[in-house]
Amino acid sequence: MSEEKLMSKKKPAYPVNDKLDAYLEHYNRKIEIPIFYEDLLRFSGSVVVYDANDEDTLWVRAYYPEFERKEIDDSLKRVYSILHSDGSSNISQYLNVDAVDYCTFGNSKPFRIRIRNILNDNFTYFYVKKTDASRIYGLELEHMLSPYNLNFLVYKDTLIEEHIAGIPGDVFIKEMLPSCTESEKAQLAKEFVKFNERCMIRLLGDMRSYNYVIVPVHDFDHVVYRIRAIDFDQQCYEGRLNVYRPQFFKENFEMVELVRKKLLRDSVDQYKLEERSIVAKRILSSGNRIKRLRSIAKKDTISTTANMKMLRDQILDLTLDIKFKKCKSMGEVLDSALNFVRRNYQGVSMKQIIEQKIKI
């Protein structure tokens, strides 16, 4: 299937409804900030940002009129303090806004802010984006159902996201994967199977190689690789189930080949089972928080009716779970998918999979 047919041309941004807004406020995600996405669009000029190989990164460095720059810098420092500290201006004197970059590629068109500590030259990034309800659901689900916590803020039409550190997947595949040892490649194959499964379970789409990062973790005498999503724009939107399975994107071909070469079918099934079981446990441990989010999503509009019906029917064909037939919104499809995993894979073993013929 061609990529053009796999995904829609452009996904619209969906507004945050009153119930989701109240949810964000309850869990300290909604905090007043001194600058908005629209304010950063008033740059007066820009230059292309190139990488170390002099290739266009699809980011441009924005420049602002002198009379606006100080106010913008002070506001961005304050945002950094709200995101990472107590929100006071005490640390502002030690911070410098090194760059404001604007991405010209993709739906969200984010701003990337580079903040440097002038005392020791340590720096970090955060992102300023337009608020989109489906992206917020994606961030919250990642926070609760993945191994990683996420820090983000929402205020009116502006979304602030912390930077997720790691090696961009496309860069890793091109420049680092060929030099990995055979054992490292096998471990990467395992992680890709788990990542693929996690995305499908919670309906996170469009995980092409540039939408996730590879994180190397040094463990005693070897390196363990983890895979983390960094783009949550395509949460619960597309109609085709394969959009939620990273294995079907051509950009991930090398990773799929790793799985084929390094893992036996039984091992793939084992890792898929492990991931489904741990997601089931995370659903339970998230308690009222995820219940409340799912309840809000069920009544929200975060996709088209056509996409919802297509995805509902394809998941029904895959799981044979009649409960999907009753879904009337994309939030209900998500809710049914999480319920299916919780019911069938909490504490399940491979022996039970074989004896009960549970689909894996």
Side-chain angles (χ1 to χ4, degrees):
M1 182 184 298
S2 70
E3 194 168 301
E4 288 73 17
K5 292 182 180 179
L6 190 61
M7 291 188 62
S8 304
K9 292 293 183 183
K10 185 171 176 62
K11 171 192 163 294
Y14 289 95
V16 173
N17 65 27
D18 291 341
K19 290 185 177 180
L20 182 56
D21 187 68
Y23 169 95
L24 294 169
E25 186 165 16
H26 180 79
Y27 290 104
N28 297 315
R29 298 294 201 189
K30 179 185 175 183
I31 299 175
E32 186 174 352
I33 56 175
I35 193 168
F36 296 99
Y37 178 88
E38 297 294 333
D39 296 328
L40 293 178
L41 286 174
R42 300 199 308 262
F43 53 88
S44 56
S46 64
V47 294
V48 175
V49 177
Y50 295 96
D51 63 17
N53 298 317
D54 287 330
E55 294 183 4
D56 189 347
T57 62
L58 302 179
W59 290 82
V60 296
R61 186 142 300 163
Y63 295 99
Y64 297 86
E66 191 64 34
F67 65 91
E68 289 188 355
R69 182 66 200 224
K70 185 181 186 307
E71 182 182 353
I72 289 173
D73 282 5
D74 289 344
S75 296
L76 291 174
K77 291 176 190 178
R78 179 75 188 285
V79 170
Y80 172 88
S81 178
I82 295 170
L83 188 65
H84 291 290
S85 187
D86 61 356
S88 70
S89 58
N90 296 338
I91 63 173
S92 294
Q93 60 184 313
Y94 307 118
L95 303 177
N96 188 66
V97 179
D98 276 3
V100 177
D101 296 335
Y102 177 64
C103 184
T104 58
F105 176 73
N107 278 337
S108 60
K109 291 186 168 51
F111 284 93
R112 180 179 62 197
I113 315 301
R114 173 170 159 148
I115 300 287
R116 177 171 55 89
N117 186 308
I118 60 177
L119 298 178
N120 52 37
D121 273 347
N122 283 329
F123 64 88
T124 189
Y125 299 94
F126 67 83
Y127 297 85
V128 182
K129 302 180 179 180
K130 291 199 73 171
T131 300
D132 176 13
S134 59
R135 188 178 297 120
I136 290 170
Y137 287 118
L139 288 163
E140 275 291 296
L141 289 170
E142 180 75 3
H143 180 76
M144 288 184 272
L145 300 184
S146 82
Y148 315 104
N149 292 331
L150 279 181
N151 190 14
F152 69 93
L153 303 171
V154 180
Y155 187 63
K156 295 185 179 178
D157 65 346
T158 298
L159 171 65
I160 308 294
E161 288 182 31
E162 70 175 349
H163 175 65
I164 298 174
I167 305 164
D170 53 341
V171 174
F172 184 92
I173 290 170
K174 180 181 178 181
E175 299 180 5
M176 301 175 186
L177 182 58
S179 60
C180 286
T181 66
E182 295 307 307
S183 62
E184 287 173 342
K185 289 178 179 179
Q187 195 267 326
L188 273 164
K190 168 188 172 181
E191 285 302 312
F192 187 78
V193 169
K194 286 173 164 281
F195 177 67
N196 188 79
E197 200 66 16
R198 190 159 66 245
C199 291
M200 183 179 69
I201 290 170
R202 41 77 56 99
L203 302 182
L204 176 62
D206 193 21
M207 281 299 108
R208 285 173 278 190
S209 56
Y210 47 77
N211 286 331
Y212 60 81
V213 293
I214 311 290
V215 184
V217 180
H218 291 268
D219 184 21
F220 292 106
D221 59 347
H222 67 290
V223 176
V224 176
Y225 293 98
R226 299 283 183 255
I227 303 178
R228 291 193 64 177
I230 60 171
D231 190 330
F232 304 94
D233 184 55
Q234 291 287 344
Q235 175 67 48
C236 297
Y237 175 73
E238 293 287 347
R240 296 185 184 276
L241 180 59
N242 285 350
V243 171
Y244 305 101
R245 305 168 79 180
Q247 70 187 78
F248 286 101
F249 287 100
K250 67 183 183 207
E251 290 86 353
N252 296 326
F253 175 78
E254 288 84 352
M255 301 297 283
V256 175
E257 281 295 287
L258 276 189
V259 174
R260 186 181 66 82
K261 292 176 181 177
K262 295 295 181 182
L263 301 181
L264 298 174
R265 180 69 230 182
D266 286 349
S267 294
V268 171
D269 287 344
Q270 175 196 337
Y271 297 141
K272 289 167 68 175
L273 170 61
E274 287 178 6
E275 195 60 33
R276 292 187 184 192
S277 296
I278 199 166
V279 169
K281 292 172 185 174
R282 288 185 186 123
I283 292 171
L284 291 172
S285 65
S286 296
N288 288 332
R289 182 167 184 163
I290 196 166
K291 287 179 183 176
R292 185 172 177 181
L293 185 73
R294 289 162 63 180
S295 176
I296 295 167
K298 285 163 68 175
K299 297 177 182 178
D300 204 351
T301 300
I302 50 177
S303 186
T304 66
T305 301
N307 282 353
M308 181 277 296
K309 289 180 178 178
M310 182 188 299
L311 185 62
R312 176 192 66 189
D313 293 346
Q314 290 186 8
I315 297 179
L316 175 62
D317 291 341
L318 177 69
T319 62
L320 304 180
D321 185 347
I322 200 69
K323 291 181 174 61
F324 283 98
K325 257 191 170 181
K326 301 176 182 178
C327 294
K328 291 182 170 58
S329 71
M330 192 61 90
E332 290 186 359
V333 175
L334 170 67
D335 185 65
S336 297
L338 296 180
N339 277 333
F340 177 83
V341 171
R342 181 184 57 79
R343 286 195 314 269
N344 291 296
Y345 295 96
Q346 181 193 353
V348 74
S349 66
M350 281 301 291
K351 184 178 179 182
Q352 288 172 299
I353 289 285
I354 295 169
E355 291 177 349
Q356 299 175 23
K357 297 182 180 178
I358 299 174
K359 262 200 169 184
I360 197 165

